Amino acid sequence: MEPGDAARPGSGRATGAPPPRLLLLPLLLGWGLRVAAAASASSSGAAAEDSSAMEELATEKEAEESHRQDSVSLLTFILLLTLTILTIWLFKHRRVRFLHETGLAMIYGLIVGVILRYGTPATSGRDKSLSCTQEDRAFSTLLVNVSGKFFEYTLKGEISPGKINSVEQNDMLRKVTFDPEVFFNILLPPIIFHAGYSLKKRHFFRNLGSILAYAFLGTAVSCFIIGNLMYGVVKLMKIMGQLSDKFYYTDCLFFGAIISATDPVTVLAIFNELHADVDLYALLFGESVLNDAVAIVLSSSIVAYQPAGLNTHAFDAAAFFKSVGIFLGIFSGSFTMGAVTGVVTALVTKFTKLHCFPLLETALFFLMSWSTFLLAEACGFTGVVAVLFCGITQAHYTYNNLSVESRSRTKQLFEVLHFLAENFIFSYMGLALFTFQKHVFSPIFIIGAFVAIFLGRAAHIYPLSFFLNLGRRHKIGWNFQHMMMFSGLRGAMAFALAIRDTASYARQMMFTTTLLIVFFTVWIIGGGTTPMLSWLNIRVGVDPDQDPPPNNDSFQVLQGDGPDSARGNRTKQESAWIFRLWYSFDHNYLKPILTHSGPPLTTTLPAWCGLLARCLTSPQVYDNQEPLREEDSDFILTEGDLTLTYGDSTVTANGSSSSHTASTSLEGSRRTKSSSEEVLERDLGMGDQKVSSRGTRLVFPLEDNA
């Protein structure tokens, strides 16, 4: 055999080779090991699949439980509102006025909060804290790798080291704690828009000068007085060792700004039910509406205050004037955005035939109004200011273009949304006293805050009223001033501003104190409104369209014997001249352009604008010379430099007349009024303020209080 034959298979057995059975043994062992390894791998794979399936099942169960808890939390608030509505009906049926619906909502919220806090067990395990010592800041979103699976976590807020072990472990309490943005983007817009859309413009504009003074100057005075007093309280707390963390002067000013936002919803509801004095109602309502807007812009300006240098809380003149510029810029920008949105809506509803489809018309009106708030916030302005002036613009212009069904729908829609949103917020206030996780109760700070808001309210009501009375014919009496002082309740806006930022120790203390102040003012002051009205001898049962009773100086009597006697009997005009000019411009140009009412533009614009005037004037104006009027007319002007035309003569309300005065004679008094005169009298609200031509005597009531 050749040497190589031993290596070839089938060539015979080589010398010294093992028997065939011994050769098969390693093969069998190797095959067995491979089978065992495969079986082991198969069993481990099956175990991994089972573990993954169990994890997916647990995740689905957690998602289902979370969905159930979300439904329960929303159901809780719906039941709270339902119970509040039924109790309100009972109170109205029994004529109970010592507790308003908002106070009821807070009480029910407190009861549910106690049940959730102490009546429900903890439902989640203890969270494990992970240390990220290498990072120097917190991330808004965090991806965590757990055994090859990535999980996303979002930032909820900072927790002080002393409260690590007391983090809320009850999932239900976590569910009923809403994101603060829910209040700003969902609940506040209908409340603020309804305030502007339902504004009684007649009495509002008649007292506009006083309202602006209270809202702008008064809020600024109140903010700085409260801020400085609270800074003294903070210094006292630091001396007494009651201050656990930093509390700067800017924090005190911020607290002064948010707590200066008045919300006398309880008082105004009682005023409306009892038909209290319309001027007092207008002063309180107008101040609270504009005061909210001023407070939120003022708080934003204080937050934007950033001095140069290492000490970011010291006074810096450049930073101060920058904050003032920010205040003016934000307010004017928000005002412009709200007014422009209202004008755009008016143009769309005028030049389209949406009134043929009331459902589409109402839907567009709703979306345009709500988007104003979000648009302003997205552009860096303040949605509260924008949506407020959008509501005023919509009521003044767009309302005239809507169909009858849409007018009723929009009024009722925003009234219902306002009612539900406001009571929802007050219910949540009661709930938050027990469910909020970051309360900081400081008795010294709370007592100091009550004293500070009392002094701040007094410091801007009484001095401003004194200076305003120097230029008013109808004075703001002491009883009105005391009632305005008493009616400085805090409510939804102060709460929303306080809960928007609770990250620091100072902001948490502000939120807790604001919550207690709202409770006290709504329950105690709101409940004492009716006795206070009686004690201060304030008129009730007054027709909202009735003017205040005239006094000896309320009427201007002009004799027609000659221009000298007319000039001699002429008294000083009281109405704000800037609003007389605005009314004339609005009546002659803006109303015809934006609505179906007002005189045709062909009669007010120059002749060379004839083509443009014909394009912009609504055909309804030509068909019906009597302009369409909204139910709540504005009545900006009650007397002034408007011209009344009687036949061939022209008589102005300030007593002057043209050379042809035949219409003031008996012959002129016998003439029937033309349709234009009737329209003008109705446009000026002269139902009970008659301009009469009797012989040679004209009587003009002067009742402008601005």
Side-chain angles (χ1 to χ4, degrees), residues 220 224 249-250 253 298 301-302 304-308 314-328:
F224 284 99
Y249 178 67
T250 51
L253 287 179
L298 192 59
S301 303
I302 293 172
Y305 176 79
Q306 294 179 349
F315 177 78
D316 187 286
F320 172 77
F321 287 109
K322 181 181 178 181
S323 295
V324 173
I326 291 174
F327 174 86
L328 297 176

Side-chain angles (χ1 to χ4, degrees), residues 77-89 104 108:
F77 284 101
I78 291 176
L79 292 177
L80 278 174
L81 292 176
T82 304
L83 187 60
T84 302
I85 290 172
L86 293 176
T87 312
I88 291 169
W89 168 81
L104 280 172
Y108 289 142

Side-chain angles (χ1 to χ4, degrees), residues 329-335 337 373 375-384 386:
I330 291 178
F331 196 93
S332 59
S334 303
F335 166 79
M337 187 166 293
F373 184 93
L375 179 63
E377 292 288 336
C379 295
F381 296 109
T382 299
V384 171

Side-chain angles (χ1 to χ4, degrees), residues 686-702:
M686 294 179 180
D688 52 359
Q689 304 179 37
K690 293 187 289 187
V691 179
S692 58
S693 176
R694 298 172 182 170
T696 58
R697 184 191 230 183
L698 292 178
V699 181
F700 292 82
L702 301 179

